[in-house]
């Protein structure tokens, strides 16, 4: 499966954005997908994960502000980001979970190209 993230942009603190992760190659109905982000000078970190049957998991830093949703007909995973903060500025990427912890970068593969989110104060 190939993934492509989109929807990033420049917004002000408090604004909202919706990111999309479009999958091609095979249906992702029974696939667990994750969103990660990497800020300048920092390591990539977990944002959220959508399990195909067990629901969603979120990092504490985004819980209550970010929400995952799926459109199986479009093979797309969405990340709705509300109440954005300057510390949310990063390149956001999506990937397919393979094994292990849902919160660990090493558990994912098939990383798509990221999309840049910049939040100004």
């Amino acid at each position: 499966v190939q993934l492509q993230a989109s929807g990033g942009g420049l917004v002000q603190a408090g604004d909202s954005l919706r990111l999309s992760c479009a999958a091609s190659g095979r249906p992702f109905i029974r696939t667990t997908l994750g969103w990660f982000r990497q800020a300048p000078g920092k390591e990539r970190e977990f944002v959220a994960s959508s399990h195909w049957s067990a629901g969603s998991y979120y990092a504490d830093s985004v819980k209550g502000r970010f929400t995952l949703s799926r459109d199986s007909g479009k093979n797309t995973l969405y990340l709705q980001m509300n109440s954005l903060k300057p510390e949310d500025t990063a390149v956001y990427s999506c990937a397919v979970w393979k094994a292990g912890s849902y919160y660990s970068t090493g558990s994912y593969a098939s990383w798509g190209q990221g999309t840049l989110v910049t939040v100004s104060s």
Side-chain angles (χ1 to χ4, degrees):
V1 61
Q2 292 79 44
L3 303 177
Q4 178 65 55
S6 62
L10 172 63
V11 296
Q12 293 187 331
D15 285 350
S16 298
L17 271 179
R18 188 178 76 162
L19 303 185
S20 300
C21 175
S24 61
R26 65 175 173 87
F28 73 6
I29 293 176
R30 293 180 180 268
T31 302
T32 295
L33 299 167
W35 280 101
F36 287 76
R37 66 187 182 186
Q38 186 167 21
K42 295 187 176 181
E43 292 190 355
R44 183 179 285 171
E45 65 174 7
F46 171 81
V47 175
S49 178
S50 172
H51 190 281
W52 66 273
S53 67
S56 300
Y57 305 86
Y58 299 92
D60 288 342
S61 59
V62 307
K63 205 171 290 184
R65 299 188 297 124
F66 291 11
T67 304
L68 287 167
S69 62
R70 290 184 176 226
D71 186 333
S72 297
K74 295 183 178 180
N75 244 24
T76 300
L77 174 71
Y78 299 103
L79 180 67
Q80 177 67 42
M81 307 187 297
N82 299 328
S83 302
L84 283 162
K85 305 175 181 180
E87 51 263 44
D88 294 319
T89 295
V91 174
Y92 285 71
S93 303
C94 52
V96 178
W97 175 82
K98 293 299 184 182
S101 169
Y102 295 133
Y103 302 90
S104 174
T105 303
S107 301
Y108 292 79
S110 302
W111 292 88
Q113 254 191 325
T115 184
L116 176 62
V117 173
T118 304
V119 185
S120 63
S121 57

